[in-house]
Amino acid sequence: MSEFHDFDVLVIGSGAAGLTLGLKVADHARVAILSKNKLNEGSTNWAQGGIAAVLDTRDTIESHIEDTMIAGAGLCHRKTVAHVVEQGREAIAWLVEQGVAFTKDNPAAKDAFVDGDYHLTKEGGHSFRRVVHATDATGKAVQESLEDKARRHPNITLFENHMTVDLISDRHPDPEQRRCLGAYVLDTKKNCKDVFRAKATVLATGGASRVYLYTSNPDGSTGDGIAMAWRFGCRVANMEFNQFHPTCLYHPETRTFLLTEALRGEGAYLRLPDGERFMNRFDARLELAPRDIVARAIDHEMKRLGIQCVYLDISHKEPAFIKEHFPTIYERCLSLGYDLTKERIPVVPAAHYTCGGVMTDLSGQTDVSGLYAIGEVAHTGLHGANRMASNSLLECLVYADSAAHDILQLIKRPGVDFEIQAWDESRVMDSDEEVVVSHNWNELRHFMWDYVGIVRSTRRLERAARRVDMLAGEIREFYSRYRVTPDSLELRNLVVVADLIIRSALARTESRGLHYMLDYPKTDPYMDQRDTILRPPKRPYTK
């Protein structure tokens, strides 16, 4: 039987964005935080590099803004960039208050956040050292501290193993006046579909890189929030910009282990099998060029030479330095047979970050009243055509704070008097064709990698569009006949996201940032500041 839950704020997602927002509103609201697996199985826990913020007196807010604008290749919204960058110091200070133990330059420094206490590293696109970090496991440190605070807060209820099926609408006849009232949620342990009612619902579900065959992301990054918001009537933007991290470990036993950009920030080289460095042929910034340039350079060399990987080499640095700054990576590589202090490590690009998403304003508000989107699920205008390294966790923190202020005002207003029905399964049955789900999942991720990857063409994209149309039809039929399962829900969402990526890529007839088209190899100056905005059907549905 379905259970009904009532909260002031429903947060879907338990990474840095979701936990931060929950903690920011919990003193004044009853909060539910949903995680479709364990709380720490999202992308935040995997983040290695750090958080970009202006903490050095030689650095400036203006420099961080300009670096971000340049990396975004003409599509960043300056107002958004300033909004995020200007709050960097405050965001880091808040994390320190929550107990995040950032790496310090001076181990004897006092615990309070003070100028000069923390070690800052430099990553691609940054003109200064401004990335504060907790060795090479920053995301884990952030996740553990925020999770501990959330578990202790009396107004926060955590729901692990709860996967959102769809959002709930008040079905107002005017789409402009429609409101979000919560969500239908699958309790994957009890296998029941519950109703979560809330005055404000927040999508903090992360990105969609599992739509690709090779990715640095955990299994849960299936674009759930983007797909749900699209079905609900929200616009999405810039879905063609998928960031491929240049350096994912190439190893048959692990396809998702990332070798942080901070390695290159601290002097690691990229080499061909014969030992030659090659980035000088592609960018004057060499290994510290923005990720789109480095990833395309690696892809080019792999195709030119017919090789399966290139190599990342930091063995010229002192072993003690490597072990001190990159202990997690050093131990992981060592367990797989590679000694970071003595040899080069095989790497390949892998899908890493979704730069587009659900359109929001500066408060994280979407097109639908009562529905917010923060973190990787959202398109805020910060990243433009290419995310600059270590801006993403900062965006999570800043937008969680902005949304929290807006939500605390929203929940003071009267709620909507609307009766929500329990999930109806009277006309469906248990599936006896799960092979359809696994087969379609594999096919989708293969053709997205082959046709909608680092380098694209109109012909490849059109081929992918035909394949995704066919899969979408099969999945709609499957969804209408059988009871939902976690696998079928994720596949349903991935197909929506794949379609949005392909449609957006076909609409952008130029090469810019992360979107490189063989048919249109140059950047079109007339498309500066032109986001690719997709508008959904006017009649959103919830089931």
Side-chain angles (χ1 to χ4, degrees), residues 77-110:
H77 300 183
R78 181 173 285 274
K79 186 176 181 180
T80 298
V81 176
H83 173 68
V84 173
V85 169
E86 288 169 359
Q87 297 183 60
R89 175 180 287 272
E90 182 181 343
I92 299 301
W94 183 81
L95 284 180
V96 172
E97 291 174 4
Q98 308 314 304
V100 178
F102 291 113
T103 299
K104 296 186 176 183
D105 260 341
N106 176 11
K110 51 191 175 182

Side-chain angles (χ1 to χ4, degrees), residues 12 17 52 55 144 187 218 264 323 350-351 364 389 395 409 472 485 498 522 525 536:
I12 305 172
L55 304 177
E144 289 179 350
D187 181 333
R264 286 177 282 129
K323 294 176 183 179
E395 181 185 33
Q409 297 304 311
T485 66
K522 295 184 179 180

Side-chain angles (χ1 to χ4, degrees), residues 65-361:
I65 291 172
E66 288 307 314
D67 288 346
T68 301
M69 297 291 293
I70 291 168
L75 289 189
C76 295
H77 300 183
R78 181 173 285 274
K79 186 176 181 180
T80 298
V81 176
H83 173 68
V84 173
V85 169
E86 288 169 359
Q87 297 183 60
R89 175 180 287 272
E90 182 181 343
I92 299 301
W94 183 81
L95 284 180
V96 172
E97 291 174 4
Q98 308 314 304
V100 178
F102 291 113
T103 299
K104 296 186 176 183
D105 260 341
N106 176 11
K110 51 191 175 182
D111 292 333
F113 178 76
V114 178
D115 225 1
D117 274 4
Y118 296 100
H119 179 267
L120 303 176
T121 190
K122 185 178 180 182
E123 297 186 356
H126 293 279
S127 56
F128 285 89
R129 283 182 171 264
R130 63 167 68 102
V131 180
V132 63
H133 60 99
T135 62
D136 59 347
T138 306
K140 187 172 185 290
V142 171
Q143 179 74 31
E144 289 179 350
S145 295
L146 298 185
E147 186 178 324
D148 178 66
K149 289 284 187 178
R151 289 189 184 279
R152 294 171 182 268
H153 202 292
N155 278 356
I156 295 178
T157 306
L158 303 171
F159 294 86
E160 294 182 304
N161 303 301
H162 280 67
M163 183 175 183
T164 306
V165 179
D166 260 322
L167 302 168
I168 299 172
S169 165
D170 66 355
R171 300 182 186 176
H172 194 287
D174 182 358
E176 299 292 327
Q177 301 298 317
R178 197 167 286 139
R179 292 185 64 174
C180 180
L181 303 182
Y184 289 108
V185 177
L186 171 64
D187 181 333
T188 58
K189 293 296 185 183
K190 296 180 180 178
N191 195 28
C192 60
K193 290 76 180 174
D194 297 336
V195 174
F196 280 76
R197 294 177 291 210
K199 292 182 179 180
T201 300
V202 183
L203 298 173
T205 52
S209 288
R210 294 299 295 186
V211 76
Y212 287 100
L213 182 61
Y214 300 108
T215 174
S216 65
N217 284 202
D219 290 343
S221 299
T222 51
D224 303 334
I226 296 171
M228 286 189 292
W230 174 259
R231 290 194 294 266
F232 203 61
C234 297
R235 293 170 299 162
V236 301
N238 288 2
M239 289 297 293
E240 69 270 37
F241 298 114
N242 306 99
Q243 188 174 74
F244 289 79
H245 197 286
T247 54
C248 200
L249 180 66
Y250 178 72
H251 193 283
E253 294 180 18
T254 175
R255 291 182 176 177
T256 57
F257 185 64
L258 191 70
L259 295 171
T260 175
E261 189 163 338
L263 282 161
R264 286 177 282 129
E266 295 295 342
Y269 301 141
L270 284 167
R271 299 186 186 276
L272 297 175
D274 64 2
E276 179 193 359
R277 292 177 66 185
F278 57 90
M279 280 305 303
N280 62 301
R281 298 199 297 272
F282 297 91
D283 196 280
R285 291 164 289 188
L286 306 175
E287 283 84 0
L288 283 178
R291 290 177 178 178
D292 61 320
I293 295 172
V294 179
R296 275 200 304 276
I298 294 173
D299 182 72
H300 174 85
E301 292 300 303
M302 288 171 60
K303 290 175 178 174
R304 180 178 72 86
L305 297 173
I307 56 179
Q308 293 183 309
C309 65
V310 297
Y311 294 87
L312 188 67
D313 186 7
I314 198 172
S315 62
H316 51 280
K317 291 284 188 177
E318 288 294 325
F321 173 88
I322 295 171
K323 294 176 183 179
E324 178 185 356
H325 284 77
F326 306 105
T328 306
I329 295 172
Y330 172 76
E331 291 296 337
R332 179 60 171 155
C333 287
L334 203 62
S335 72
L336 294 168
Y338 300 107
D339 189 337
L340 206 62
T341 67
K342 297 178 180 178
E343 59 190 322
R344 57 194 189 180
I345 309 300
V347 294
V348 292
H352 183 58
Y353 196 89
T354 307
C355 288
V358 184
M359 293 186 68
T360 74
D361 63 13

Side-chain angles (χ1 to χ4, degrees), residues 67 116 214 297 384 430 433 474 486 516 535:
D67 288 346
Y214 300 108
D430 289 328
E433 297 183 3
E474 292 180 3
Y516 188 82
R535 292 172 171 80

